Amino acid sequence: QVQLVESGGGLVQAGGSLSLSCAASGSIFRINAMGYHRQAPGKQRELVAVITTDGSTNYANSVKGRFTISRDNAQNTVFLQMNSLKPEDTAVYYCVARTAYGNYWGQGTQVTVSS
């Protein structure tokens, strides 16, 4: 089992910045990637960004150049820096830990960007 605890998020005006963090515990040796997905009201959950244990990253086209994902392997924590936020970034952001046995999800944190 992998447990994820998320922090960060909140309310910001368009053009502003927010950061999220997600700390993993439990069977962390099974994790091969961590990242974030988001889900806006009435929409499907979508990938935002993911980073593997060797540091490779992948971003949704909609956030490239604005969001940066990083990780601290010693702390088993992943960080998402979100800059130049837009109202369409408003969603619940979920941390995910990917393992060969399946995905584990955080509790979600609300990000609201006002216009």
Side-chain angles (χ1 to χ4, degrees):
Q1 292 287 337
V2 174
Q3 293 79 44
L4 301 173
V5 177
E6 300 184 53
S7 60
L11 173 65
V12 67
Q13 289 188 333
S17 298
L18 285 173
S19 61
L20 305 178
S21 64
C22 176
S25 61
S27 301
I28 57 174
F29 61 92
R30 294 179 174 178
I31 298 174
N32 51 50
M34 292 182 67
Y36 283 91
H37 289 232
R38 68 187 180 187
Q39 188 167 18
K43 294 187 177 181
Q44 290 188 330
R45 192 173 296 190
E46 62 177 1
L47 172 71
V48 176
V50 65
I51 185 167
T52 65
T53 51
D54 64 1
S56 298
T57 58
N58 187 36
Y59 295 91
N61 287 333
S62 59
V63 307
K64 283 181 180 177
R66 301 188 298 120
F67 291 12
T68 303
I69 192 166
S70 60
R71 65 188 295 164
D72 182 337
N73 287 332
Q75 298 295 325
N76 305 307
T77 301
V78 65
F79 305 93
L80 185 68
Q81 178 64 40
M82 304 181 291
N83 298 328
S84 302
L85 283 160
K86 304 175 181 180
E88 51 264 43
D89 294 317
T90 295
V92 177
Y93 284 67
Y94 295 92
C95 178
V96 61
R98 296 180 178 177
T99 77
Y101 302 92
N103 294 338
Y104 294 88
W105 297 91
Q107 76 276 16
T109 187
Q110 178 70 45
V111 170
T112 303
V113 185
S114 63
S115 57

